Amino acid sequence: MKINEIFSAVYLFKNNSPAVVIGRHQNPFLEADIQYVDENGIDFARRHSGGGTVYHGYGNLNVSLLTTQTNHCRPRNLQWIAGLLNENLGINLIATKRDDIIFADERKVSGTAARIARGRAYHHLTLLIDEDLDILRRTLNSPFKNRIKTNATQSIPAKHVGQISQEIQGITVNEVKELLINSFQKQFERCNIINVNSISEAVFPDINKTQKELQSWEWRFAKTPQFILDDDIQVENGIIKVSSNPEYQLGSQFYPISNDILNQQQMNKTEHLLS
Amino acid sequence: MASLLARSILFSTARNPSFHRCFSTALPRFSTSSTGRFYTRKHEWVSIKDGVGTVGISEFAQESLGDIVYVELPEVDAELSKGDSIGAIESVKAASDIYTPVSGKVTEKNSAVEESPALINKSTYEKGWLFKLKVSNENEVEELMNEEAYEKFKQEEQHD
């Protein structure tokens, strides 16, 4: 089935195991605590689209709207979703100019990103429903904040993070998913709803190649725009090019060393400056 | 005054189908452009001088994208084929692919826009160029649109 030729749009709804996902041009070490992520079985990915960093686990619903470039309109999609949830759940969500969805008191429940290529586009967003917000805050708290100089795009952290279960106790990801699917279905003359349980090359040609690319060290880490850590360690294409710190060997792949040593050095530096 | 006159004549003849039938084959082919820039349907431009092409995105593209926050450019010495996806521009959360208008080997990338992507918004045709390449086949510009054809193309696109 050639989806793009028969249908004008494809909408994806998915839920997945815990992961930190950074935008295409971001620095993972600046955006997240990569060591904590690795030590706790949380996945780390870099997406093709732009935008900032998110943490999402089983309490989050990912929505992806694939259309032609002409029909790509993020504000319209967000107002649709917010309006729908407000109408059905009796809550008050607002789609902002920044393409976020927030409660009136600025608690952010959804972030957006997009990709445009070859006359097609997708708008994808997270929707926090019933997530562990403590883990979310922990993973997105990088020990390297303020210590990295780079022109990578940087996330603008929300003042407050919120989720739908704060307003509607006991609501589940599945309930929200069904709500959205039912409403979207009504918008179109013809709509097929398909459960995708496995991804095969037969149904999605070239998917293996894309998956391999996205899982590679090159894409996830080496693609990080060049940066300087602590005014000393220079990293380009994932490799340490300059370093006076013995913990970060020249020529090796950059990876955060133990927090203790880093923090200790930082504290020593600060003490020295203050004395 | 003179330039205004020239523009209005060009515009009216472009609209006149008989003009096209007299002076071009079925596919309009252009080898001159009033600004020296030739455009693709995806809103990139190339300007060739002494075999070196300078590539950028159009004013229209920059306006549609909004504030540009990051530019991903091809590496020097990369061999590109016309139409290849060779980088991306990120603006307000959307990452848009850019395609090369012509084939060739990259000789230079604009480090100024890598450091200050906003240059593309502020100075699209002067300081906001993206990369330069040694053009392998100058005839490829004949398949692109000159300034006048690009104006027409944009108007037609808006009415779709």
Side-chain angles (χ1 to χ4, degrees):
Chain A
M1 173 172 72
K2 285 189 182 154
I3 292 178
N4 290 333
E5 284 170 14
I6 301 172
F7 295 90
S8 60
V10 177
Y11 296 154
L12 302 174
F13 299 88
K14 40 195 167 96
N15 176 249
N16 47 258
S17 54
V20 165
V21 184
I22 64 172
R24 189 192 182 102
H25 301 125
Q26 295 204 295
N27 182 319
F29 312 109
L30 192 53
E31 299 295 330
D33 187 335
I34 293 295
Q35 262 193 300
Y36 176 83
V37 162
D38 285 344
E39 283 162 10
N40 287 277
I42 298 169
D43 283 324
F44 159 66
R46 176 191 302 270
R47 13 173 234 276
H48 280 134
S49 55
T53 299
V54 290
Y55 165 86
H56 50 62
Y58 291 115
N60 167 78
L61 180 65
N62 282 324
V63 182
S64 194
L65 305 107
L66 294 83
T67 61
T68 59
Q69 190 171 343
T70 324
N71 288 334
H72 174 78
C73 184
R74 304 189 291 277
R76 179 202 64 203
N77 296 338
L78 293 168
Q79 275 153 36
W80 203 359
I81 291 172
L84 196 58
L85 295 173
N86 290 344
E87 206 181 291
N88 284 279
L89 302 176
I91 52 181
N92 185 18
L93 292 171
I94 303 161
T96 71
K97 285 206 186 92
R98 273 199 78 241
D99 286 348
D100 291 337
I101 296 179
I102 59 171
F103 284 119
D105 61 1
E106 295 194 2
R107 276 172 294 150
K108 178 174 167 180
V109 306
S110 162
T112 267
R115 171 140 170 81
I116 301 172
R118 305 216 172 273
R120 295 199 171 93
Y122 59 77
H123 165 201
H124 56 186
L125 55 135
T126 51
L127 197 52
L128 289 174
I129 294 159
D130 168 31
E131 190 54 81
D132 187 332
L133 297 184
D134 288 330
I135 298 190
L136 184 152
R137 285 184 207 107
R138 180 72 185 81
T139 56
L140 300 182
N141 187 19
S142 162
F144 293 108
K145 241 186 304 209
N146 302 320
R147 291 166 57 187
I148 288 183
K149 289 206 179 100
T150 177
N151 68 348
T153 57
Q154 296 190 34
S155 301
I156 298 172
K159 278 188 225 162
H160 312 284
V161 175
Q163 57 186 346
I164 301 187
S165 62
Q166 287 168 339
E167 302 298 307
I168 314 272
Q169 288 232 7
I171 189 153
T172 63
V173 167
N174 268 334
E175 282 174 68
V176 175
K177 187 176 80 170
E178 290 305 312
L179 234 171
L180 292 176
I181 292 176
N182 285 334
S183 164
F184 283 166
Q185 193 175 18
K186 293 188 190 127
Q187 312 272 346
F188 300 94
E189 235 175 64
R190 211 177 119 200
C191 176
N192 282 8
I193 301 174
I194 304 164
N195 273 320
V196 181
N197 292 317
S198 65
I199 309 175
S200 73
E201 192 76 18
V203 183
F204 304 104
D206 270 356
I207 192 76
N208 287 337
K209 185 169 136 219
T210 307
Q211 187 172 11
K212 230 175 144 193
E213 183 210 7
L214 290 169
Q215 286 173 332
S216 69
W217 174 83
E218 281 77 18
W219 175 261
R220 292 156 78 228
F221 290 101
K223 194 161 169 73
T224 306
Q226 66 187 78
F227 65 96
I228 302 178
L229 169 65
D230 294 334
D231 286 324
D232 171 19
I233 298 129
Q234 288 183 39
V235 181
E236 213 179 299
N237 296 322
I239 304 289
I240 299 170
K241 291 284 157 74
V242 174
S243 169
S244 72
N245 184 334
E247 301 286 344
Y248 290 110
Q249 292 279 327
L250 272 180
S252 61
Q253 293 179 353
F254 179 84
Y255 190 83
I257 56 169
S258 165
N259 282 342
D260 304 309
I261 299 171
L262 280 171
N263 286 343
Q264 190 57 42
Q265 281 183 340
Q266 205 53 26
M267 275 173 7
N268 291 343
K269 241 189 188 168
T270 318
E271 278 163 25
H272 177 74
L273 286 167
L274 290 171
S275 62
Chain B
M1 184 64 166
S3 62
L4 264 169
L5 200 58
R7 230 178 35 189
S8 63
I9 292 171
L10 279 163
F11 185 67
S12 60
T13 49
R15 280 176 135 206
N16 182 346
S18 62
F19 174 79
H20 272 291
R21 264 181 240 127
C22 293
F23 291 91
S24 62
T25 56
L27 281 165
R29 300 226 144 201
F30 305 103
S31 50
T32 58
S33 176
S34 54
T35 56
R37 288 188 295 271
F38 292 89
Y39 298 83
T40 68
R41 299 176 76 86
K42 294 200 169 77
H43 309 284
E44 292 102 6
W45 57 265
V46 63
S47 172
I48 304 182
K49 193 177 164 191
D50 299 327
V52 175
T54 303
V55 177
I57 62 167
S58 72
E59 186 71 50
F60 176 79
Q62 139 327 88
E63 251 175 55
S64 322
L65 286 170
D67 291 337
I68 295 173
V69 300
Y70 196 89
V71 186
E72 208 182 290
L73 298 173
E75 289 305 315
V76 170
D77 287 341
E79 300 268 9
L80 312 177
S81 290
K82 177 183 153 115
D84 277 355
S85 167
I86 47 82
I89 290 183
E90 182 173 343
S91 67
V92 211
K93 305 175 195 214
S96 306
D97 273 15
I98 31 179
Y99 308 91
T100 179
V102 292
S103 313
K105 191 168 177 181
V106 180
T107 54
E108 202 183 332
K109 55 176 178 161
N110 190 353
S111 46
V113 303
E114 280 184 319
E115 275 160 51
S116 311
L119 265 177
I120 302 175
N121 296 115
K122 289 186 261 198
S123 177
T124 315
Y125 298 122
E126 306 291 315
K127 300 192 181 133
W129 57 275
L130 300 177
F131 64 94
K132 295 188 201 261
L133 75 175
K134 190 157 189 306
V135 179
S136 50
N137 177 7
E138 282 198 42
N139 291 331
E140 280 177 341
V141 292
E142 288 177 22
E143 291 151 38
L144 304 178
M145 294 176 277
N146 66 6
E147 200 68 47
E148 295 72 31
Y150 181 58
E151 282 305 310
K152 187 163 175 240
F153 169 72
K154 279 189 292 181
Q155 280 168 27
E156 283 170 356
E157 252 204 342
Q158 278 180 335
H159 292 132
D160 276 340

